[in-house]
Amino acid sequence: MRFRFLPNLVSFLPAILAQTTVSSNKDADCRCLYGQSCWPSEQDFSSLSTLLSQPLIRPVPPASACYPVGNPSGNCSDVQQNWVNGNWRADQPGAYQNVNFETYTNRNGSISGCYLNTTLGLPCDQGSIPPIGVDVRTIEDVQAAVRFVGQHNLRLVVKNTGHDYLGRSAARNAFMIWTHHLKNISYNANFIPDGGLDNETVPALTLGAGGGLQWREAYAAVAEQERFILGGISTDMSVGAAGGWIMGGGHSGFSAKYGLGVDNAIQFTIVKADGDHVVANAHHNPDLFWALRGGGAGSWGVVTSVTYRTYDLVPLTMSFINATFSDPQVAQEVTTEFIGLHPKLSDAGWGGYSFFNNQTIFAAFLAPNVSWADTNATILPFFDFVKNATGQPDTPIFTQPFDNFHAWLDALQSQGSAGGMEQVGGFGELASRLISREAAEERPEETAQLLLSFEFVSINFVAGGAVARADPDSVGLHPGWRKAVAHVWTSEGWEAGDSGDVVRQARQRVAREVRRLEPISPDSATYMNEASLYEPDFRKSFFGSHYEKLRSIKRKHDPRSLFLVAEGVGSEDWNGSLTCPV
């Protein structure tokens, strides 16, 4: 199927971990993994524990509470009830928002995991979930964990909520730094970056840490100040606000008005590979500040806070259409018109989200600081075009004004997980590209025809406008973002318990779909946080002309590549499992 956006387990842990042991480490340059002779002893871990504010954690698959079958080790009903709840998943150190990253593909092609569907008759395996880690609550916890990893040369992952379509926060037999409980929020109407001048004051919100704060919490905090912050939009608003989202660029349905997350970040604090806790802004470590804004999650250290500028609240309107198509020609006509709208709307600061195929189109538009009357004047001609083209005058549409962002968000959340769509708890991987302004403005018919050749695609209106007006070299983000008007993605999925062959074929289709999307993209660019593990050249697609500068910064601040992730800066120097240099 296609991917939709659609307790005490200590006694059970040894049985799970017994299935994940590996041979001894034969190469001193390789990372040390659980089960190898180089793995730290219990005495080593006990020594680490004395430096921490919390006990060490032993992450297990969330479905393990339902095993052994017939005599569950935990609260299986709680797991079943919350399986597709993003915030519940974020609270479990062993849970990932996409379940495929909990699993592991064995050398023979079979899949090891722990499935909620116990009737499959499959064993509950640890998969790619690290067997041990640190639940960091303080900066000192982070420093102790990072130094321990460096001392023992461990394969490291940094995890907060588990929202990651590249699986960068999972790794089999690795050591986990879990930042989910590193939470703090502070607002300063006259924030001055460290080292800045008195005339650099900015009304800003500082969020900690390593993504520990989620956007639902950040929005609640900024609402108390009657301010707006540019942030992520997802069901449950469970995405981390100070971690992978910002380091990958940080898009939003409000980006055309306010820019990307990287354009709104004023200052970071971060624990580097040597364990030092430093400030990165325009005055201190400016090279690292540049890299953190778009240079990719998991490559630079453990981010402990991000400070964002905030804005005055303004009214906004939302528009919506959900049409069906009687034949492919009608779909072509409507989507051609739809694609051609993007440059005009983004120039005016509009954003939003959509998906379509040859049978239907759903689109929601967000227009900040645009009156209801002006919204109607802009969007109703397109809605009328759709009604006429489809011959369906009763096509569901609406436009609605809101006092401000927070009123809109309250209305959205009152629908329950963004109207009931499920974004988590399934198996799937993405293929994506940015849509260039040229493709939308000068080749809308050709672009629409290409996108309609997929079973479905989704377009996020998260570029153009303020994004396009920013200096492409001001941050480490791929400069292709400044030539784009939107981000398009499609996906492949499978069911729990599907064979390795089924999963392999789905992944092969994703790899082909990445290449098929090339014609729409500026410089083969895409949004790395919603992208493919099968990029032909991730350096080109994720970083573009900025890659060599990012690589130089990486060598300076993390010369041993302690922080290493799939398709991250410097990962080309390591094998596929990121355990040994090549």
Side-chain angles (χ1 to χ4, degrees):
M1 64 175 287
R2 294 280 179 163
F3 177 46
R4 293 181 300 156
F5 262 73
L6 322 166
N8 181 7
L9 299 178
V10 173
S11 62
F12 188 51
L13 184 63
I16 297 176
L17 297 187
Q19 304 160 17
T20 66
T21 56
V22 294
S23 60
S24 62
N25 185 7
K26 297 179 180 179
D27 190 331
D29 293 329
C30 294
R31 296 290 189 246
C32 184
L33 302 175
Y34 172 81
Q36 294 176 334
S37 59
C38 58
W39 188 252
S41 66
E42 284 303 314
Q43 183 177 353
D44 293 327
F45 283 119
S46 295
S47 297
L48 171 62
S49 294
T50 65
L51 305 175
L52 303 174
S53 65
Q54 302 293 315
L56 291 168
I57 55 172
R58 312 276 176 165
V60 294
S64 62
C66 301
Y67 292 80
V69 178
N71 185 27
S73 62
N75 189 344
C76 184
S77 60
D78 181 63
V79 176
Q80 293 168 332
Q81 180 178 351
N82 290 290
W83 192 254
V84 296
N85 183 314
N87 286 302
W88 178 87
R89 285 191 159 271
D91 288 339
Q92 318 301 316
Y96 292 82
Q97 304 292 336
N98 293 96
V99 182
N100 41 297
F101 295 117
E102 298 172 9
T103 67
Y104 178 76
T105 301
N106 299 299
R107 288 186 177 182
N108 64 5
S110 63
I111 308 295
S112 296
C114 187
Y115 300 110
L116 181 63
N117 182 1
T118 59
T119 65
L120 294 170
L122 298 172
C124 178
D125 293 340
Q126 184 77 3
S128 294
I129 300 167
I132 193 168
V134 176
D135 176 8
V136 294
R137 306 290 179 103
T138 67
I139 303 303
E140 291 75 18
D141 285 346
V142 179
Q143 292 176 301
V146 168
R147 288 169 179 152
F148 182 83
V149 168
Q151 176 186 352
H152 294 278
N153 193 31
L154 305 181
R155 172 76 167 94
L156 170 67
V157 296
V158 181
K159 178 180 183 286
N160 169 36
T161 66
H163 270 286
D164 193 333
Y165 291 114
L166 297 179
R168 292 169 292 191
S169 53
R172 186 174 178 83
N173 296 317
F175 182 90
M176 176 189 290
I177 294 179
W178 192 36
T179 65
H180 184 58
H181 292 120
L182 246 181
K183 296 177 183 282
N184 54 71
I185 307 177
S186 63
Y187 176 75
N188 187 339
N190 297 290
F191 179 82
I192 301 175
D194 284 14
L197 303 175
D198 291 344
N199 63 358
E200 292 186 51
T201 61
V202 179
L205 195 71
T206 298
L207 305 175
L213 255 292
Q214 293 163 271
W215 280 116
R216 62 187 173 86
E217 299 165 305
Y219 292 144
V222 80
E224 293 180 0
Q225 305 297 329
E226 298 184 346
R227 303 285 295 173
F228 171 81
I229 186 173
L230 187 283
I233 306 295
S234 66
T235 63
D236 300 320
M237 305 298 162
S238 57
V239 172
W245 180 85
I246 177 67
M247 286 183 277
H251 77 43
S252 167
F254 299 91
S255 288
K257 177 69 174 178
Y258 299 100
L260 296 165
V262 294
D263 301 321
N264 287 276
I266 303 168
Q267 179 170 287
F268 293 80
T269 58
I270 182 173
V271 174
K272 300 199 306 173
D274 58 7
D276 286 351
H277 186 233
V278 303
V279 170
N281 61 22
H283 309 284
H284 300 292
N285 299 296
D287 57 344
L288 190 56
F289 183 49
W290 186 86
L292 286 167
R293 290 176 295 159
S299 294
W300 311 100
V302 181
V303 170
T304 55
S305 72
V306 182
T307 301
Y308 294 97
R309 69 177 65 249
T310 67
Y311 297 89
D312 294 334
L313 290 175
V314 298
L316 69 91
T317 56
M318 179 178 180
S319 307
F320 164 94
I321 187 168
N322 189 5
T324 57
F325 305 132
S326 58
D327 62 68
Q329 182 56 42
V330 173
Q332 176 70 46
E333 292 176 10
V334 170
T335 53
T336 296
E337 187 75 11
F338 177 61
I339 296 296
L341 275 178
H342 283 68
K344 173 186 175 182
L345 294 181
S346 66
D347 286 348
W350 287 46
Y353 304 92
S354 73
F355 64 82
F356 61 86
N357 58 20
N358 272 304
Q359 288 78 46
T360 188
I361 183 171
F362 165 91
F365 304 90
L366 300 168
N369 209 23
V370 178
S371 70
W372 195 11
D374 287 345
T375 296
N376 288 333
T378 298
I379 203 63
L380 289 184
F382 171 66
F383 289 177
D384 289 340
F385 176 88
V386 175
K387 290 180 180 180
N388 291 332
T390 60
Q392 298 172 5
D394 295 330
T395 294
I397 66 168
F398 77 79
T399 64
Q400 182 175 349
F402 294 91
D403 289 342
N404 54 52
F405 168 81
H406 301 295
W408 170 79
L409 189 65
D410 288 345
L412 184 70
Q413 294 184 312
S414 71
Q415 299 299 311
S417 293
M421 290 191 298
E422 296 174 2
Q423 286 184 309
V424 306
F427 298 79
E429 295 178 6
L430 304 185
S432 73
R433 281 291 180 267
L434 299 179
I435 301 179
S436 70
R437 185 182 187 98
E438 181 271 335
E441 196 167 55
E442 300 180 20
R443 298 183 287 117
E445 184 173 4
E446 176 186 334
T447 300
Q449 185 176 22
L450 170 64
L451 298 182
L452 285 169
S453 69
F454 291 82
E455 186 175 319
F456 91 98
V457 294
S458 181
I459 296 181
N460 299 328
F461 323 138
V462 293
V467 177
R469 291 191 291 270
D471 179 358
D473 294 323
S474 61
V475 296
L477 185 74
H478 195 308
W481 267 99
R482 311 307 180 178
K483 303 176 184 178
V485 293
H487 174 246
V488 63
W489 62 265
T490 188
S491 67
E492 291 283 347
W494 53 91
E495 298 287 353
D498 276 349
S499 69
D501 282 343
V502 170
V503 176
R504 177 180 54 81
Q505 291 167 17
R507 287 170 169 161
Q508 287 175 343
R509 290 193 296 271
V510 172
R512 290 194 297 267
E513 288 166 351
V514 170
R515 294 180 182 274
R516 289 182 58 210
L517 287 170
E518 282 291 311
I520 67 170
S521 179
D523 308 317
S524 302
T526 191
Y527 179 44
M528 73 182 75
N529 286 345
E530 296 173 1
S532 172
L533 282 164
Y534 316 104
E535 285 290 337
D537 183 351
F538 77 86
R539 292 166 292 188
K540 180 179 180 182
S541 300
F542 291 174
F543 308 107
S545 60
H546 289 163
Y547 187 75
E548 288 307 318
K549 181 176 178 179
L550 288 166
R551 188 171 168 82
S552 175
I553 296 169
K554 172 76 170 175
R555 290 192 183 111
K556 173 183 174 182
H557 291 279
D558 184 15
R560 293 176 56 202
S561 288
L562 189 71
F563 294 95
L564 199 61
V565 296
E567 298 186 338
V569 174
S571 63
E572 71 273 20
D573 295 332
W574 294 72
N575 63 6
S577 62
L578 301 179
T579 54
C580 295
V582 294

